[in-house]
Amino acid sequence: MATRSVWRARTKFAVAASAVFTGGAAATIASSEDPAMTVKLCTNVPVRLARDVITAASITFDYEYSLWGLPEGSLERSKAKHEVHLRSAHKLQELCFKNGGIYIKLGQHIGQLEYVVPQEYVQTMRASMLNKCPVSSYDQVCQVIKKELGATPDKIFDEFDPVPIASASLAQVHVARTTDGQKVAVKVQHTHMTDTAAADHATVELIVNTLHWFFPSFDYRWLVAEIRESIPQELDFLREAKNSVKCLHNFQKLSPDVAEYVYAPKVLWSLSTSKLLTMEFMDAAQVNDVKAIQGLGIQPHEVAKLVSKVFAEMMFKHGFVHCDPHAANLLVRPLPSGKKSILGKRKPQLILLDHGLYRELDFDARFNYAALWKALIFADANSIKEHSVKLGAGEDLYALFAGILTMKPWNRVVDSSIDHLVIRGNDSDRSELQMYASQYFPEISELLSRLPRVILMLLKTNDCLRSVNNSLLQGSSLETFFIIGKVSSEAIVEAKKSQRKSFFSRFDIWFEEILLGARLLGMQIALWLLQFRRALPGLN
């Protein structure tokens, strides 16, 4: 009976939504300054909405039908649930590809939500949503370039490959060569993004609001608000270019010891506009391609350490954070200076791509986020609670917030062992994570709706980085957490110095630095001993 009522409710929603869009179409076309474009939108939007409703109804029916009568906790139910998760993930993937644009952005986000979404969805979205997105035709690419630069690619470039090397949710990238012989990457915005972005946003908002109405525990309205803010920024490629320049400037000014190890492609400003970005071509390995990285003479664990260092500096010291560091946006090459490690391996340089999505942290957010991570690394329960509450988690959900950040249950978060936060990346860890997510789904949804959006973007960034680490190390390592603890601690001390001017307050900070240094040294020694014992298992 419950299933039938939900099904009827969804059917009524589909009919009502179609009526709203159809009924308003004529008036919209009549009052539009661009009737042809408006006709296109009023034709496309109902079709895209219909796809949404049909997919949602199909997935819902599949779950209800496939799991009907199977006892909770039984082997049969577990097997059936895995199969329906997989089928539904592919249906959602197909919907994202058909609608494109914002929907692919949503698919990418789902691929990072390990603490909410079943593993079948995560794996399906990650395998398809990063660099296997729908491709604009060469004619469409030519239209954009001609509109932006006044001529077709063959008139502007000496060479222009009509087949893109990568396609993402908002744009695709072509290899070209300028008239002076420089090899470049040309990022061209998909034409449908400007045509349907606003309509897609309205459609997604309608779907999310309706799901929240039917299922109050499913509250992802914050995601719609975030997309409303971020998509216009990501569609402005000149803003993206300026972000890349600012990012490198921050490293040179605030983190000079790291600046040599991080890079962003130089922009050719004369061949760039808000919808077209021409950059130097980077010959490098994708960060999750372990074999290619090893082929360059670089150790994957050195790359993992560098990724942790670079993003820790951005989050805790710069307050200007690249919030989309998935594998397709991070490249690795040998350090151009040719420096090598003690073992004779080449040192890595991290190349950051796609600078469209950045977030700025004010002093309080940056300080409290750094203090929270320091507390997580050192298992300081009181400090974890204090700074989680200050960041918006509340007195009741701070433990859950810590669990989402670390992918560990509370008893492991506050465990005093040195490697208490290390994720092994094995089936046991994944099963524990999924069980944790399933058990606390309503609370997780409440937490995500409560946190400030800038913190939500840091969670997304954290998820992306965890995925990169897992690709490089099959989990995480104690070394990467040591780096996070060290950088967050340094950032806290620097922030306190900037706020306190008196002699006595500076003396307190100096004393705190000594204690912190001793603590970090102890952690480093413990790390060395642990590594030594693991290298020589016969000693255990």
Side-chain angles (χ1 to χ4, degrees):
M1 182 64 71
T3 304
R4 288 199 194 100
S5 66
V6 171
W7 183 265
R8 282 198 297 268
R10 278 177 173 71
T11 305
K12 289 177 181 177
F13 162 64
V15 172
S18 298
V20 168
F21 276 98
T22 305
T28 305
I29 294 169
S31 60
S32 173
E33 295 179 1
D34 188 352
M37 177 60 69
T38 308
V39 167
K40 185 177 180 181
L41 290 178
C42 290
T43 303
N44 286 340
V45 171
V47 172
R48 298 157 87 83
L49 178 62
R51 286 192 196 123
D52 293 345
V53 174
I54 291 169
T55 301
S58 173
I59 290 174
T60 301
F61 179 78
D62 196 358
Y63 273 100
E64 296 288 354
Y65 179 78
S66 301
L67 303 179
W68 182 267
L70 297 178
E72 194 71 49
S74 67
L75 186 62
E76 292 84 358
R77 185 179 179 88
S78 177
K79 182 180 178 182
K81 187 181 285 187
H82 166 71
E83 291 172 352
V84 73
H85 280 337
L86 206 54
R87 286 196 301 271
S88 299
H90 285 295
K91 290 174 186 175
L92 189 58
Q93 176 195 57
E94 184 180 0
L95 173 70
C96 291
F97 278 153
K98 282 184 176 178
N99 281 357
I102 288 175
Y103 289 84
I104 291 175
K105 276 288 176 187
L106 286 171
Q108 290 174 349
H109 196 82
I110 289 170
Q112 306 300 333
L113 295 176
E114 288 185 285
Y115 47 84
V116 177
V117 179
Q119 196 66 22
E120 292 83 354
Y121 286 86
V122 172
Q123 291 174 348
T124 300
M125 295 303 167
R126 282 185 182 173
S128 60
M129 292 290 163
L130 295 183
N131 52 13
K132 297 179 182 177
C133 298
V135 175
S136 293
S137 69
Y138 183 58
D139 285 342
Q140 291 173 316
V141 169
C142 289
Q143 289 172 20
V144 173
I145 294 178
K146 185 174 182 179
K147 183 178 180 181
E148 296 300 308
L149 299 179
T152 54
D154 58 301
K155 304 291 189 211
I156 296 173
F157 300 96
D158 263 6
E159 299 174 16
F160 189 93
D161 191 341
V163 179
I165 57 169
S167 182
S169 55
L170 307 183
Q172 62 192 49
V173 179
H174 293 258
V175 178
R177 198 170 293 277
T178 61
T179 53
D180 61 359
Q182 183 181 358
K183 190 176 183 180
V184 293
V186 184
K187 183 176 179 180
V188 184
Q189 195 170 117
H190 294 311
T191 54
H192 69 265
M193 284 309 305
T194 49
D195 294 346
T196 64
D200 282 347
H201 180 272
T203 307
V204 170
E205 185 169 16
L206 179 62
I207 295 293
V208 170
N209 286 337
T210 303
L211 284 172
H212 176 61
W213 185 48
F214 284 122
F215 307 105
S217 64
F218 185 94
D219 190 0
Y220 282 80
R221 292 173 293 177
W222 60 268
L223 185 55
V224 176
E226 178 57 41
I227 289 173
R228 184 190 302 119
E229 179 180 335
S230 64
I231 288 295
Q233 296 176 8
E234 291 187 80
L235 289 174
D236 184 353
F237 289 174
L238 288 179
R239 180 189 180 97
E240 175 182 340
K242 291 172 184 175
N243 284 344
S244 70
V245 173
K246 182 175 179 179
C247 173
L248 293 186
H249 175 73
N250 284 342
F251 277 100
Q252 292 161 1
K253 182 180 178 182
L254 303 173
S255 308
D257 58 318
V258 190
E260 182 183 6
Y261 298 90
V262 61
Y263 191 77
K266 289 185 174 65
V267 176
L268 278 68
W269 295 96
S270 62
L271 295 175
S272 298
T273 71
S274 62
K275 294 180 176 60
L276 182 74
L277 188 59
T278 305
M279 307 158 283
E280 65 174 311
F281 181 85
M282 306 307 305
D283 187 9
Q286 197 163 291
V287 75
N288 62 348
D289 191 342
V290 174
K291 287 185 178 179
I293 289 171
Q294 291 172 331
L296 294 172
I298 298 170
Q299 295 178 312
H301 79 270
E302 290 293 332
V303 177
K305 286 164 56 179
L306 178 58
V307 170
S308 296
K309 175 73 171 172
V310 166
F311 280 87
E313 295 281 336
M314 278 195 270
M315 289 186 284
F316 305 140
K317 293 184 179 180
H318 305 175
F320 186 66
V321 186
H322 187 308
C323 288
D324 202 16
H326 58 68
N329 288 339
L330 303 179
L331 301 179
V332 180
R333 69 178 178 181
L335 192 66
S337 67
K339 290 182 182 176
K340 294 186 178 182
S341 67
I342 298 174
L343 299 175
K345 292 289 185 178
R346 303 173 81 177
K347 289 191 174 183
Q349 184 182 63
L350 185 67
I351 300 169
L352 304 177
L353 305 179
D354 196 350
H355 298 262
L357 188 59
Y358 272 74
R359 284 293 177 269
E360 294 197 55
L361 281 69
D362 61 27
F363 178 85
D364 288 340
R366 183 167 58 84
F367 179 85
N368 285 310
Y369 194 63
L372 173 58
W373 267 107
K374 176 190 172 187
L376 289 168
I377 300 300
F378 293 116
D380 185 340
N382 291 331
S383 189
I384 290 171
K385 179 179 180 180
E386 176 190 349
H387 295 289
S388 293
V389 170
K390 287 180 178 179
L391 288 169
E395 296 273 349
D396 54 335
L397 295 179
Y398 71 89
L400 183 62
F401 184 38
I404 286 176
L405 280 170
T406 61
M407 292 290 103
K408 296 287 183 181
W410 178 250
N411 65 318
R412 300 274 291 280
V413 170
V414 294
D415 191 320
S416 59
S417 60
I418 189 172
D419 60 347
H420 67 295
L421 296 183
V422 173
I423 298 172
R424 307 297 175 198
N426 53 32
D427 291 338
S428 174
D429 266 7
R430 279 191 287 270
S431 298
E432 180 183 41
L433 175 59
Q434 288 297 313
M435 183 178 68
Y436 190 67
S438 176
Q439 184 179 356
Y440 293 102
F441 179 80
E443 290 84 359
I444 290 172
S445 185
E446 165 63 23
L447 175 64
L448 296 180
S449 66
R450 182 186 296 182
L451 292 169
R453 290 215 306 275
V454 68
I455 302 301
L456 291 172
M457 291 308 294
L458 291 182
L459 284 180
K460 175 181 181 288
T461 304
N462 193 42
D463 294 338
C464 290
L465 295 174
R466 185 183 298 111
S467 177
V468 167
N469 257 320
N470 188 58
S471 298
L472 291 165
L473 306 172
Q474 297 304 303
S476 58
S477 75
L478 188 56
E479 288 178 291
T480 58
F481 283 112
F482 174 75
I483 289 167
I484 293 170
K486 186 173 186 295
V487 178
S488 61
S489 299
E490 291 171 351
I492 292 167
V493 170
E494 290 173 10
K496 286 180 178 179
K497 282 181 178 179
S498 70
Q499 295 293 301
R500 300 179 188 177
K501 304 299 182 183
S502 72
F503 171 79
F504 291 106
S505 63
R506 284 187 169 273
F507 180 81
D508 288 342
I509 295 172
W510 176 73
F511 185 67
E512 183 179 334
E513 277 188 279
I514 293 177
L515 291 178
L516 177 61
R519 198 171 187 183
L520 287 171
L521 179 60
M523 187 176 181
Q524 180 69 77
I525 292 171
L527 172 61
W528 287 333
L529 290 174
L530 189 63
Q531 289 172 331
F532 182 68
R533 289 188 63 181
R534 284 177 180 167
L536 300 171
L539 295 178
N540 292 331

